[in-house]
Amino acid sequence: SRASAADGATDDLGSSAADIDAAARDAVRCLEHAMVVVAGEKSVYRCVVSPTSSHSHDKGSVTREYRDGLVMSYSYVVGAVVDRAMDIIETIFLKDAKTASPPVVPKEGAPPPPESDDVISIRVYGSAAAAGLRILDGVRLLGPSLAKLCDMSHDKDKAGSSGGGGGGDSPTSVASNLCIAIHRTTVKNSARTLENLAKAIQAEPLDGAKHRPADARVATVSSDVVRAIQLVSPFTSAYKSVTKRRALPWDPKMGEESGDLDSYVRFLIMRLLNSLQGKALNYSKDGGSDASAKSNLFMMNNTFYLLEQLGATSKQKTRQLPNGEIDGDTYRIESSWFKDKVGKIFEAEKAKYVQHWEVLNSHLTSVDKTDLNYQGGSDKLLSLESGRLIKSRFSGFIEDFEKLYAVHQPLAVVNSKLRAMLQRDVMNVFLPRYSRFFEKYSRVQFSKKNMDQYLKYPPARLEAMLAELYEAQ
């Protein structure tokens, strides 16, 4: 009855992350309830089958046939319980953990599928992968005890020896074999949930407002993958149980030579980086004055986010729980490959991005003193030709700065640390040089009537404007 109640509970579960986790916990509780039922049945049957356990039976008064019949009855009853538990676990994998709905990866060169709200998200597949490992953890811990409870071979051997003939019964019952089958099917389905998560990242669309933000901020796929990694990270032992028994695309070796969870995390990160680079390339293909800037900033936003969320530092490391497992919320990738790969991409994209502002320096060249001639022999107002040399520099700077600012100001950097870093790096490209240029030539009257027009951007004003970059929310 408890198994039926757990089964009924899973029928009403949806696909939210909380529901998937609840379904996985229900599967583990189902095993616990099955153990309670089987233990109770075993207590009853042992009292009848084993004369040594019963005060009301004389050893010789219980025939072998009677004992064997009771053992077979016990095996039938507990077999039904275990079989029901197995059905519930398989249903949870099919319905809640989405093993029956794998992601569809578009073939190379094929047009992407139309954007739809019916597509199962990476968040769901991430929750499903963690749920599969949670169920496997429960099966690993409870399965051997349940199998031992189901087995009555000791009593059957005693019955055979007391009745003569030796007895040719199998040393394990149907229920015990079903317990082994539960472990095997759970390993198989857990492997599918892990593969589905990797495929979901690969199948992530490269276009659409949901997948490629117009302001180049962090993409949803990045936060979803980080969350998925944090969800599966506590189940290191369960993951190893999968890789020992099944060859996986990212880890073809089995047995003791199989990889640990880090190999899977690396595979997911590489899939994510491929997806991000595809999106960045599509920014470039959009055309327009902001295409290249968006591409660079998008990669910066996402790689910095990954480094912040998953990169290990002296103060931020994975915390081990008292039971030896990992606290997923504090999970950090401590292997050197992560910072080497992601960090290099971030630095390369940042260098490309700040290069966009380098064009401003082309206007900040000094005017040769021999080219500066004053009107009427005075040293106050420059001649028309000399004034034009300075005017062209200021006007060229102003024109390019206003174009750049209009392009970059709508872009978003949500992380305040990265935003401050980028504002400082952009300032360092041209502002020191502009400050010297402005200081030098603002003292010279190179225009008779329009000095304010050329000097409308003093360095302090530029600094204030740059401090407002990337704040689009």
Side-chain angles (χ1 to χ4, degrees):
S1 60
R2 288 174 176 170
S4 298
D7 191 31
T10 60
D11 285 342
D12 296 327
L13 290 172
S15 295
S16 72
D19 287 343
I20 294 171
D21 183 67
R25 294 177 187 274
D26 281 346
V28 177
R29 291 191 193 99
C30 177
L31 277 177
E32 294 171 345
H33 295 162
M35 288 183 67
V36 172
V37 173
V38 171
E41 294 294 326
K42 190 163 190 174
S43 296
V44 172
Y45 280 99
R46 283 184 67 89
C47 288
V48 180
V49 173
S50 299
T52 57
S53 303
S54 175
H55 299 289
S56 61
H57 288 86
D58 179 33
K59 182 177 180 180
S61 65
V62 180
T63 65
R64 175 187 172 186
E65 290 76 12
Y66 180 64
R67 290 195 206 98
D68 287 350
L70 290 175
V71 168
M72 291 174 65
S73 299
Y74 170 79
S75 180
Y76 176 81
V77 171
V78 298
V81 173
V82 176
D83 186 52
R84 186 60 173 154
M86 185 174 178
D87 285 345
I88 293 171
I89 291 173
E90 287 189 322
T91 300
I92 288 173
F93 270 111
L94 288 170
K95 178 183 175 184
D96 298 284
K98 309 301 179 186
T99 56
S101 307
V104 178
V105 179
K107 294 182 179 179
E108 190 172 351
E115 194 168 350
S116 172
D117 293 332
D118 296 331
V119 177
I120 301 173
S121 68
I122 293 173
R123 287 184 75 84
V124 171
Y125 283 116
S127 297
L133 294 176
R134 181 182 296 281
I135 295 172
L136 181 55
D137 238 2
V139 170
R140 286 175 53 251
L141 295 174
L142 301 176
S145 298
L146 180 59
K148 190 174 180 180
L149 282 172
C150 291
D151 191 17
M152 290 288 283
S153 59
H154 175 66
D155 299 284
K156 293 165 73 176
D157 288 341
K158 289 203 303 181
S161 61
S162 63
D169 295 316
S170 172
T172 57
S173 65
V174 172
S176 299
N177 289 331
L178 283 173
C179 290
I180 297 172
I182 287 178
H183 185 269
R184 288 175 178 170
T185 192
T186 304
V187 167
K188 177 187 70 176
N189 284 318
S190 296
R192 285 179 179 172
T193 62
L194 295 172
E195 291 178 21
N196 283 349
L197 174 56
K199 288 179 181 177
I201 300 171
Q202 185 181 4
E204 165 77 3
L206 301 181
D207 286 306
K210 287 173 56 178
H211 311 288
R212 189 161 62 91
D215 57 7
R217 68 178 62 212
V218 175
T220 304
V221 63
S222 294
S223 58
D224 285 350
V225 171
V226 167
R227 173 185 171 275
I229 290 173
Q230 291 173 338
L231 286 177
V232 302
S233 63
F235 303 104
T236 52
S237 299
Y239 175 83
K240 191 68 177 179
S241 185
V242 174
T243 58
K244 279 185 176 181
R245 292 164 177 83
R246 294 189 71 85
L248 300 167
W250 57 90
D251 188 11
K253 294 182 179 179
M254 297 172 61
E256 295 302 324
E257 295 184 356
S258 60
D260 55 16
L261 189 62
D262 185 68
S263 63
Y264 180 57
V265 170
R266 180 170 185 166
F267 187 75
L268 296 182
I269 293 294
M270 294 306 175
R271 281 278 172 93
L272 172 60
L273 291 176
N274 287 339
S275 176
L276 294 175
Q277 288 167 339
K279 295 175 192 290
L281 181 61
N282 280 4
Y283 279 116
S284 300
K285 292 179 179 178
D286 288 343
S289 56
D290 61 350
S292 180
K294 280 186 176 181
S295 176
N296 300 141
L297 188 61
F298 175 76
M299 289 302 298
M300 287 175 58
N301 267 325
N302 284 275
T303 51
F304 189 85
Y305 174 79
L306 293 177
L307 291 167
E308 286 285 288
Q309 295 296 316
L310 297 176
T313 65
S314 57
K315 295 182 179 179
Q316 294 177 312
K317 293 184 177 180
T318 304
R319 186 167 69 90
Q320 293 278 344
L321 298 175
N323 62 0
E325 294 291 354
I326 288 173
D327 179 3
D329 292 336
T330 67
Y331 177 75
R332 299 281 168 167
I333 302 174
E334 299 181 10
S335 301
S336 60
W337 66 264
F338 179 69
K339 284 191 175 180
D340 288 344
K341 181 71 176 178
V342 181
K344 285 180 181 177
I345 294 175
F346 172 77
E347 292 297 336
E349 295 295 337
K350 182 159 76 79
K352 293 176 186 176
Y353 178 79
V354 297
Q355 191 67 29
H356 290 284
W357 298 86
E358 188 65 39
V359 66
L360 298 177
N361 286 323
S362 64
H363 304 289
L364 305 179
T365 57
S366 296
V367 180
D368 196 294
K369 288 184 178 180
T370 59
D371 293 328
L372 295 180
N373 300 310
Y374 293 87
Q375 294 183 14
S378 70
D379 58 352
K380 293 183 179 180
L381 180 62
L382 286 176
S383 66
L384 187 60
E385 289 300 323
S386 295
R388 284 174 179 170
L389 294 176
I390 299 177
K391 289 177 186 177
S392 64
R393 285 164 168 77
F394 271 107
S395 60
F397 176 88
I398 291 171
E399 181 181 357
D400 281 346
F401 175 78
E402 289 178 345
K403 285 180 180 178
L404 281 169
Y405 195 80
V407 167
H408 294 259
Q409 201 275 335
L411 304 182
V413 178
V414 177
N415 185 286
S416 58
K417 182 178 176 181
L418 175 59
R419 186 166 62 245
M421 177 198 302
L422 201 53
Q423 289 168 348
R424 183 177 62 252
D425 288 347
V426 169
M427 289 181 191
N428 289 338
V429 171
F430 71 92
L431 193 56
R433 191 169 181 176
Y434 177 76
S435 298
R436 294 190 296 269
F437 183 87
F438 188 92
E439 175 69 17
K440 181 177 181 179
Y441 292 108
S442 62
R443 298 177 180 180
V444 179
Q445 188 173 359
F446 53 87
S447 176
K448 190 173 183 179
K449 299 180 179 179
N450 300 311
M451 285 290 289
D452 290 344
Q453 175 183 334
Y454 294 104
L455 301 179
K456 67 178 181 177
Y457 288 122
R461 183 183 178 188
L462 286 186
E463 188 171 353
M465 292 176 67
L466 294 175
E468 296 176 355
L469 280 176
Y470 319 120
E471 293 187 348
Q473 299 296 326

